[in-house]
């Protein structure tokens, strides 16, 4: 029993899955699921289809050459069984996996390295160019910083804050929801 | 070989059939339509074609017949004579000659009539010429009708002749009728010849094949021959005589020593002596048949003498061949009924024939070419010492031991049977593994681990390589740790700026969404233009809110909008009041009322009006007049609107030929109007 690779997307095909297609020139194509099979029948080139491993490797999104890949190679000559070798192999597989994963993560982070700087620059530029959408030029002249304009509100009442907040018009102390009601009402009048 | 395969001759049609075939072919394969209005050359060509076509077909078919029937002079004399005996050479030749002349005559007819057709001047004349030509050709064929029938009969008979190869090894069986020739051939070959008690059961030659020393021999059974002068022989006897005369074969002369065939030994001996000239140069064997009825030793004196005479003859031929004067080879007793001596006879005959043929081949000139090509090399013995093959002692012992062991060893099969049989016991295939440590024979090794094939990783020095890999990894980690320092750039936006950016992005996406909505509805659905403000959202308060969110002070704008609204403009009385409001109003007086109306149309509460009231103005005397005018206007527009026309000039027909009116069947009724 062997785990094979899908010809289209290069994912592993577990036993009991997928379809194998044998062409007249005796070349075998294995597919992991009908998605890959149908793409193949449509004669699509996996190197041009974004989500396949072939594309990702070709365009440098994934790691291509690495010494961890050389340890895993299909050997056609059978080896005589040796328990020690078998044990070592099993242990080694796990370690190699870990290393490989770490290297792939590193590759990814290297790829993404300059992204932050670029993003920051783009944000600054956008802010500068489109500030007119949220701040009128007149307001920008007065306050040249690239921030939202301060909304001016006219306050109509001359009461001190505390008295207004904690007592109603008749001078009675307010309950908390009275106070809340008052504050919303005042906000509404401010907005209008 | 063409010589003796007469089955491939094509069928010869009878006269009438022949004519029918050819004429119908002419009719089918030449053009048939012609009118008298055609050009004369075309008419002539048409009829000439027909005549020529017919002549060609006759020619072809007759040629085929003539070619396929064998020429008696060209084939092997055996067949030539056989055909002559059966069919009479002269008659045969005459028939074929007639066919030949017919062919030539037809050719001449066609040539003549084509010459005449060249000068035909009308359709009718050409047609008559053609009819005449074809008619004459058909008469010719009718006249040779009997010949054709005769040839057909011959063909059928020839196809049934036995396929005898005159050049290969042949054994000929001859003798009086009823002596047991056919029984013999039935015994040694697969031929199934009729065996009956009456004479002349076999009326023609029969062939069987038998094998001896990896070679195939033909055995030919002939009809019986009676002792008569040559001229009186009938056709059946002549067949056997022909065979005897022409085939180079071993001859088995059958003798019935019991006399149950109806003829005595004396008569048979007489026959023998009369045809012994035919046995020249042929290995001869006298076969005494039916010894179950009368043993050879029990013959009378006279009979014995006769038999001995015949034997002497046979021996003479043996000597002529160069063999030893051997009794056994010349006279053989057998019984076809009891199979006694049959094989011996066959072997003797085959042996004699083979020897004779080999001798002849050796004497002929051609053999030297063959002999030059092969040479059997035999090593010359050095001396007379015996040198047997030398087998070392150890090998001999091993051989003995192996054979002993083979009997003692316990087979897997026995093991299986002991432990329950085929379905129950499953053999341990790992029993004979050769491993470094025998304990490992029971190990189960996984094939798959974590999505990898374990066998792809197996390597005796995998540990070493793993160590290298880990070292590499360690180095790389160290290098990375050093790199970690400079990563930050420090040109980040402040939180307020980020807020502003978020707001900008939100606004942009809103704009895009609105635009998309507008774009999608603009083609399919007409929308109410902004000035009609159906949702009543274009208010001055909203404008004020938007301006203040942009950071501007909206009061001035709101005041202006309010003062310029139509509700204020509409009242004559209030115009004078409005003038006091601001300078801005004066400038706008000249602008069209339409533009003013596109601005805010909010009416202040104090100026509300009942819905039905119509203000006089625009040239009308009073409100009543204006009302009627409005009514007339609405009436004139009503029908147009119902027909969904944009205006007076809109004559668009969206679908000039709707499919449902111009195609399809009706479920009931006629479709005579579209």
């Amino acid at each position: 029993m062997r785990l094979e690779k899908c010809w289209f997307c290069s994912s592993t095909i577990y036993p009991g899955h997928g379809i194998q297609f044998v062409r007249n020139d005796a070349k075998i194509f294995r597919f992991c699921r009908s998605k890959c099979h149908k793409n193949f029948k449509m004669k699509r080139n996996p190197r041009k289809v974004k989500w396949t491993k072939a594309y990702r490797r070709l365009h440098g999104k994934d790691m291509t050459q690495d010494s961890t890949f050389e340890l895993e190679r299909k050997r056609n000559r059978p080896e005589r069984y040796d328990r020690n070798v078998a044990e070592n192999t099993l242990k080694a597989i796990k370690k190699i996996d870990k290393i490989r994963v770490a290297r792939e993560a590193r590759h990814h982070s290297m790829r993404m390295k300059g992204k932050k700087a670029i993003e920051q620059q783009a944000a600054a530029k956008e802010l500068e160019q489109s500030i007119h959408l949220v701040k009128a030029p007149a307001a920008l002249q007065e306050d040249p910083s690239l921030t939202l304009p301060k909304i001016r509100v006219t306050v109509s009442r001359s009461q001190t804050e505390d008295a207004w907040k904690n007592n109603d018009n008749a001078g009675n102390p307010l309950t908390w929801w009275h106070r809340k009601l008052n504050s919303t009402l005042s906000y509404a009048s401010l907005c209008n | 070989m063409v010589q003796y395969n007469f089955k491939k001759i094509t069928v010869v049609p009878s006269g009438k059939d022949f004519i029918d075939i050819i004429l119908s072919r002419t009719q089918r394969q030449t053009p048939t339509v012609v009118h008298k209005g055609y050009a004369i050359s075309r008419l002539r060509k048409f009829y000439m074609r027909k005549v020529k076509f017919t002549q060609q077909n006759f020619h072809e078919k007759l040629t085929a017949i003539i070619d396929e029937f064998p020429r008696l002079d060209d084939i092997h004399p055996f067949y030539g004579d056989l055909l002559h005996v059966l069919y009479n050479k002269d008659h045969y030749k005459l028939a074929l000659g007639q066919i030949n002349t017919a062919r030539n005559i037809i050719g001449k007819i066609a040539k003549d009539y084509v010459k005449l057709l060249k000068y035909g001047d009308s359709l009718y004349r050409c047609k008559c010429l053609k009819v005449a030509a074809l008619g004459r050709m058909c008469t010719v064929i009718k006249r040779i009708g009997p010949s054709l029938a005769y040839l057909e009969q011959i063909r059928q008979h020839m196809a049934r002749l036995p396929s005898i190869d005159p050049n290969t090894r042949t054994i000929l069986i001859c003798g009086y009728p009823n002596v047991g020739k056919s029984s013999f051939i039935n015994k040694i070959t697969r031929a199934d010849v009729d065996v009956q008690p009456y004479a002349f059961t076999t009326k023609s030659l029969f062939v069987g094949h038998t094998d001896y020393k990896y070679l195939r021999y033909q055995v030919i059974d002939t009809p019986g021959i009676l002792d008569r002068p040559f001229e009186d022989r009938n056709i059946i006897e002549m067949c056997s005589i022909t065979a005897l005369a022409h085939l180079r074969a071993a001859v088995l002369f059958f003798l019935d020593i019991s006399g149950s065939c109806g003829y005595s030994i004396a008569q048979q001996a007489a026959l023998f002596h009369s045809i012994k000239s035919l046995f020249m140069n042929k290995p001869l064997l006298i076969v005494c048949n039916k010894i179950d009825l009368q043993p050879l030793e029990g013959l009378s004196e006279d009979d014995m003498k006769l038999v001995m005479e015949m034997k002497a003859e046979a021996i003479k031929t043996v000597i002529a061949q160069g063999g030893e004067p051997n009794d056994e080879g010349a006279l053989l007793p057998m019984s076809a009924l009891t199979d006694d001596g049959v094989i011996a006879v066959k072997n003797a005959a085959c042996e004699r024939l083979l020897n004779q043929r080999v001798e002849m081949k050796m004497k002929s000139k051609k053999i030297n070419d063959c002999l030059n090509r092969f040479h059997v090399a035999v090593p010359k013995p050095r001396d007379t010492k015996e040198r047997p093959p030398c087998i070392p002692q150890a090998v001999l012992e091993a051989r003995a031991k192996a054979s002993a062991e083979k009997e003692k060893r316990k087979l897997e099969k026995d093991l299986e049977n002991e432990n329950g049989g085929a379905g129950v016991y499953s053999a341990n295939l790992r029993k004979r593994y050769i491993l470094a440590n025998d304990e490992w024979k029971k190990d189960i090794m996984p094939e798959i681990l974590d999505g990898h094939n374990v066998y792809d990783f197996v390597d005796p020095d995998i540990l070493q390589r793993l160590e290298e890999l880990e070292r590499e990894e360690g180095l790389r980690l160290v290098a990375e740790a050093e790199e970690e320092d400079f990563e930050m750039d420090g040109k980040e936006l402040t939180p307020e700026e980020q807020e502003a950016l978020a707001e900008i992005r939100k606004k942009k996406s809103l704009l895009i969404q609105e635009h998309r909505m507008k774009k999608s509805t603009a083609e399919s659905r007409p929308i109410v233009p902004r000035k009609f403000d159906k949702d009543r959202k274009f208010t001055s308060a909203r404008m004020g809110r938007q301006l203040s969110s942009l950071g501007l002070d909206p009061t001035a704008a709101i005041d202006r909008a309010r003062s310029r609204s139509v509700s204020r403009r509409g009242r004559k009385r209030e115009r004078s009041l409005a003038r006091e409001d601001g300078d801005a109003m004066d400038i706008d007086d000249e602008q069209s009322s339409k533009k003013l109306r596109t601005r805010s149309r909010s009416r202040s509460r104090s100026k509300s009006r009942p819905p039905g009231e119509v203000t006089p103005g625009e040239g009308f005397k009073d409100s009543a007049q204006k009302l009627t005018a409005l009514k007339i206007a609405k009436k004139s527009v009503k029908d147009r609107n119902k027909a969904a026309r944009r205006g007076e000039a809109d004559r668009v027909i969206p679908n000039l030929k709707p499919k449902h009116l111009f195609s399809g069947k009706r479920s009931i009724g006629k479709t005579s109007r579209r």
Side-chain angles (χ1 to χ4, degrees):
Chain A
M1 195 167 28
R2 257 192 83 83
L3 297 178
E4 303 287 354
K5 294 277 175 208
C6 171
W7 185 85
F8 198 81
C9 63
S10 316
S11 63
T12 52
I13 306 178
Y14 277 84
H17 290 261
I19 287 183
Q20 288 184 7
F21 165 62
V22 181
R23 211 165 50 178
N24 277 357
D25 61 355
K27 188 163 158 60
I28 301 180
F29 297 86
R30 298 175 217 265
F31 306 106
C32 58
R33 56 200 194 282
S34 64
K35 177 176 179 182
C36 302
H37 189 42
K38 286 190 180 146
N39 270 311
F40 172 79
K41 283 196 278 188
M42 275 194 274
K43 294 186 168 191
R44 285 200 183 148
N45 190 352
R47 285 166 196 258
K48 293 194 176 173
V49 178
K50 288 260 166 63
W51 51 272
T52 56
K53 207 89 173 118
Y55 176 94
R56 305 208 84 222
R57 292 227 176 96
L58 185 69
H59 289 73
K61 317 270 184 204
D62 274 350
M63 201 162 59
T64 341
Q65 272 180 336
D66 198 40
S67 46
T68 42
F69 295 147
E70 280 153 41
L71 285 165
E72 175 176 10
R73 204 172 23 102
K74 183 175 181 196
R75 289 151 237 268
N76 288 322
R77 199 174 301 170
E79 298 265 339
R80 202 177 283 276
Y81 178 71
D82 191 325
R83 192 185 273 184
N84 305 322
V85 171
E87 271 184 47
N88 295 337
T89 310
L90 292 171
K91 286 190 214 151
I93 289 178
K94 294 212 185 253
K95 290 194 196 151
I96 292 168
D97 252 354
K98 225 166 33 138
I99 293 175
R100 198 195 68 231
V101 164
R103 286 193 187 176
E104 272 177 13
R106 196 180 306 133
H107 180 270
H108 179 80
S109 62
M110 291 292 287
R111 205 154 64 88
M112 299 293 152
K113 222 162 49 156
K115 190 167 155 185
K116 214 167 186 187
I118 294 170
E119 270 180 15
Q120 280 172 0
Q121 272 182 6
K125 190 165 154 203
E126 191 181 353
L127 186 62
E128 206 193 307
Q129 285 184 341
S130 314
I131 191 67
H132 63 90
L133 289 177
V134 292
K135 193 168 189 182
L140 195 58
Q141 262 186 355
E142 296 168 23
D143 175 22
S145 78
L146 294 172
T147 54
L148 289 172
K150 297 197 175 42
I151 300 178
R152 300 226 186 90
V153 282
T154 49
V155 178
S156 48
R157 291 204 205 172
S158 51
Q159 266 182 339
T160 59
E161 219 187 64
D162 287 336
W164 169 73
K165 267 212 283 197
N166 295 323
N167 300 333
D168 66 358
N169 289 342
N172 301 327
L174 299 166
T175 56
W176 73 269
W177 53 269
H178 273 134
R179 270 184 249 134
K180 196 157 167 72
L181 203 58
N182 265 346
S183 62
T184 50
L185 284 173
S186 58
Y187 180 68
S189 67
L190 287 175
C191 286
N192 276 344
Chain B
M1 283 204 275
V2 177
Q3 285 164 266
Y4 62 88
N5 194 359
F6 298 132
K7 299 184 211 288
K8 291 278 185 64
I9 307 177
T10 46
V11 178
V12 180
S14 74
K16 214 153 150 310
D17 283 343
F18 206 159
I19 294 171
D20 283 340
I21 291 169
I22 299 287
L23 287 182
S24 70
R25 185 185 278 203
T26 310
Q27 194 198 7
R28 270 182 297 122
Q29 302 204 346
T30 51
T32 49
V33 181
V34 76
H35 299 296
K36 66 176 183 206
Y38 289 173
I40 189 66
S41 58
R42 188 168 164 191
L43 292 171
R44 287 181 190 147
K45 213 164 58 166
F46 175 82
Y47 285 111
M48 277 199 276
R49 184 169 171 180
K50 285 206 184 272
V51 171
K52 275 249 73 142
F53 189 83
T54 312
Q55 181 262 330
Q56 269 168 8
N57 277 329
F58 272 126
H59 184 92
E60 264 172 37
K61 286 215 175 289
L62 292 172
T63 315
I65 292 172
I66 294 169
D67 287 340
E68 281 182 3
F69 272 92
R71 271 194 233 185
L72 295 182
D73 306 322
D74 287 347
I75 54 181
H76 194 271
F78 164 65
Y79 273 105
D81 258 357
L82 191 66
L83 292 178
H84 172 54
V85 160
L86 291 169
Y87 314 129
N88 195 355
K89 195 159 55 168
D90 301 327
H91 204 173
Y92 177 82
K93 276 190 182 172
L94 267 172
L96 284 178
Q98 262 199 343
I99 307 257
N100 196 21
T101 30
R103 185 176 62 166
N104 293 339
I105 292 174
I106 289 179
K108 278 210 200 89
I109 294 173
K111 214 159 44 164
D112 292 339
Y113 274 90
V114 161
K115 269 197 221 149
L116 287 175
L117 268 169
K118 270 201 278 191
Y119 301 105
D121 46 6
S122 75
L123 176 102
Y124 178 69
R125 210 163 294 212
C126 291
K127 186 170 178 183
C128 287
L129 285 169
K130 165 225 162 202
V131 165
L134 294 197
R136 277 178 70 173
M137 289 191 228
C138 295
T139 322
V140 167
I141 298 291
K142 249 198 302 193
R143 276 207 316 258
I144 64 167
S147 297
L148 291 170
Y150 172 70
L151 282 172
E152 173 64 17
Q153 292 236 338
I154 289 184
R155 183 197 74 86
Q156 284 180 2
H157 196 271
M158 274 208 292
R160 293 202 196 99
L161 286 179
S163 51
I164 298 174
D165 183 356
N167 295 325
T168 183
R169 305 159 283 275
T170 320
I171 298 176
L172 213 50
I173 310 175
C174 59
Y176 250 89
N178 257 356
V179 295
K181 306 189 285 291
S182 303
S183 326
F184 177 68
I185 194 176
N186 281 346
K187 282 274 180 273
I188 54 172
T189 71
R190 284 201 63 172
D192 206 7
V193 187
D194 248 356
V195 175
Q196 299 281 355
Y198 60 87
F200 289 103
T201 318
T202 312
K203 293 194 216 19
S204 61
L205 302 173
F206 285 95
V207 190
H209 293 86
T210 179
D211 294 320
Y212 177 73
K213 278 193 181 168
Y214 309 110
L215 290 171
R216 197 142 256 224
Y217 288 77
Q218 283 181 135
V219 185
I220 301 185
D221 182 24
T222 63
I225 314 173
L226 296 170
D227 190 15
R228 285 205 285 219
F230 188 78
E231 300 76 28
D232 295 343
R233 295 204 186 274
N234 58 23
I235 294 181
I236 302 177
E237 292 172 323
M238 283 306 293
C239 280
S240 13
I241 301 286
T242 317
L244 274 173
H246 291 288
L247 292 174
R248 244 173 4 110
V251 179
L252 294 174
F253 187 83
F254 267 61
L255 205 53
D256 179 2
I257 50 182
S258 69
S260 60
C261 61
Y263 304 95
S264 68
I265 296 188
Q267 286 170 313
Q268 295 181 46
L271 171 67
F272 178 80
H273 289 295
S274 65
I275 61 173
K276 71 179 175 207
S277 56
L278 290 169
F279 300 153
M280 217 42 73
N281 295 330
K282 297 192 174 79
L284 176 65
L285 228 69
I286 314 288
V287 178
C288 300
N289 202 7
K290 304 192 189 171
I291 54 170
D292 52 322
L293 293 172
Q294 161 83 300
L296 191 57
E297 292 73 27
L299 273 179
S300 66
E301 272 289 322
D302 308 330
D303 293 338
M304 210 51 180
K305 205 163 56 133
L306 290 165
V307 171
M308 284 306 133
E309 263 176 40
M310 286 198 276
K311 190 165 132 185
E313 281 291 333
I315 291 178
K316 261 199 261 178
T317 60
V318 173
I319 296 172
Q321 250 187 296
E324 303 116 40
N326 183 359
D327 259 355
E328 299 311 316
L331 184 79
L332 290 166
M334 66 163 252
S335 168
L337 201 66
T338 60
D339 279 352
D340 193 14
V342 170
I343 310 277
V345 167
K346 171 189 138 189
N347 289 348
C350 293
E351 190 70 43
R352 283 276 294 281
L353 182 64
L354 191 61
N355 289 338
Q356 195 225 21
R357 282 175 74 99
V358 167
E359 288 262 347
M360 297 230 22
K361 285 221 171 92
M362 299 287 279
K363 280 193 228 155
S364 77
K365 290 187 214 153
K366 279 202 263 185
I367 194 65
N368 289 326
D369 306 334
C370 296
L371 273 182
N372 285 342
R373 290 203 213 130
F374 55 90
H375 167 69
V376 178
V378 176
K380 213 167 53 169
R382 236 180 346 180
D383 49 26
T384 53
K385 188 163 157 202
E386 271 256 331
R387 292 187 178 86
C390 169
I391 307 174
Q393 190 64 18
V395 170
L396 284 170
E397 283 173 13
R399 276 192 200 165
K401 207 167 65 161
S403 57
E405 228 185 52
K406 230 187 221 176
E407 285 123 41
K408 282 192 295 176
R409 186 184 69 187
K410 187 166 192 187
L411 303 171
E412 287 288 337
K413 205 163 52 163
D414 302 331
L415 197 59
E416 185 187 64
N417 289 334
E418 277 171 29
N419 292 22
V424 177
Y425 171 79
S426 81
N428 183 6
L429 300 166
R430 304 177 179 220
K431 215 165 45 165
R432 290 183 183 273
Y433 276 10
I434 305 168
L435 297 174
N437 187 345
D438 278 340
E439 271 182 9
W440 298 346
K441 281 190 198 172
K442 297 190 219 123
D443 274 358
I444 305 171
M445 177 154 162
E447 294 174 37
I448 296 173
L449 179 67
D450 284 348
H452 299 286
N453 291 308
V454 173
Y455 292 141
D456 289 346
F457 283 89
V458 154
D459 200 350
D461 33 317
I462 189 153
L463 279 183
Q464 184 194 8
R465 298 172 75 179
L466 183 62
E467 236 176 282
E468 279 172 30
L469 191 69
E470 291 193 327
R471 224 181 305 135
E472 242 185 85
E473 195 64 16
L475 285 171
R476 202 183 292 219
L477 277 172
V478 165
E480 254 194 29
E482 292 166 4
E483 263 188 42
E484 278 276 315
D485 305 338
F486 53 89
E487 187 53 71
M488 290 294 111
D489 216 350
K491 260 205 305 182
E492 283 206 28
L493 296 174
T494 63
E496 294 94 9
E497 285 181 340
Q498 279 179 1
E499 232 186 285
L501 187 62
E503 197 59 44
I504 289 172
R505 288 190 175 149
K506 202 159 72 170
K507 206 140 200 206
K508 272 191 184 168
S509 69
L510 268 173
L511 282 171
I512 292 170
Q513 269 180 33
E514 262 187 54
H515 171 73
R516 282 189 184 150
M517 274 203 317
K518 256 199 258 178
K519 192 170 74 160
S520 66
T521 56
E523 294 162 7
S524 50
R525 260 177 287 210
I527 48 175
V528 178
R530 190 172 147 144
K531 70 177 180 178
F532 296 117
D533 191 14
K534 138 173 111 80
D535 296 327
R536 251 180 284 233
K537 58 180 179 172
F538 295 109
T539 57
S540 54
R542 185 163 174 261
M543 182 181 77
R545 277 203 298 278
Q546 287 180 340
L547 285 174
S548 58
S549 75
L550 277 178
L552 299 168
D553 187 14
T555 44
I558 291 175
D559 290 339
R560 207 161 135 221
R562 287 203 180 126
S563 70
R564 314 269 259 106
S565 67
V566 177
S567 50
R568 303 201 70 184
R569 287 281 287 167
R571 303 250 171 115
K572 279 186 186 166
R573 287 181 274 143
E574 310 213 17
R575 248 184 231 174
S576 49
L577 277 167
R579 262 195 212 131
E580 290 165 29
D581 265 20
D583 306 329
M585 292 289 272
D586 288 350
I587 305 167
D588 291 339
D589 267 350
E590 284 83 44
Q591 283 185 4
S592 61
S593 51
K594 191 173 178 186
K595 187 140 188 195
L596 287 171
R597 252 184 271 128
T598 59
R599 299 243 180 113
S600 152
R601 239 205 177 191
S602 58
R603 295 165 188 251
S604 44
R605 281 216 187 107
S606 52
K607 296 193 182 89
S608 65
R609 279 212 180 102
E613 192 186 326
V614 166
T615 51
E618 297 166 315
F620 290 107
K621 185 171 70 172
D622 53 15
S623 309
Q625 200 186 44
K626 193 170 181 185
L627 256 170
T628 40
L630 282 171
K631 258 201 198 139
I632 296 168
K634 274 200 200 154
K635 211 190 230 174
S636 70
V637 158
K638 188 167 158 187
D639 284 330
R640 228 175 41 224
N641 281 351
K642 275 203 173 155
R645 300 253 166 256
R646 285 201 306 273
E648 281 176 345
D650 182 9
R651 284 175 209 236
V652 166
I653 305 172
N655 197 358
L656 254 178
K657 288 187 79 170
K659 187 167 164 198
H660 68 282
L661 296 177
F662 286 93
S663 75
K665 293 190 185 179
R666 295 187 208 274
S667 50
I668 82 168
K670 290 194 289 185
T671 319
S672 55
R673 297 181 289 275
R674 284 275 190 211

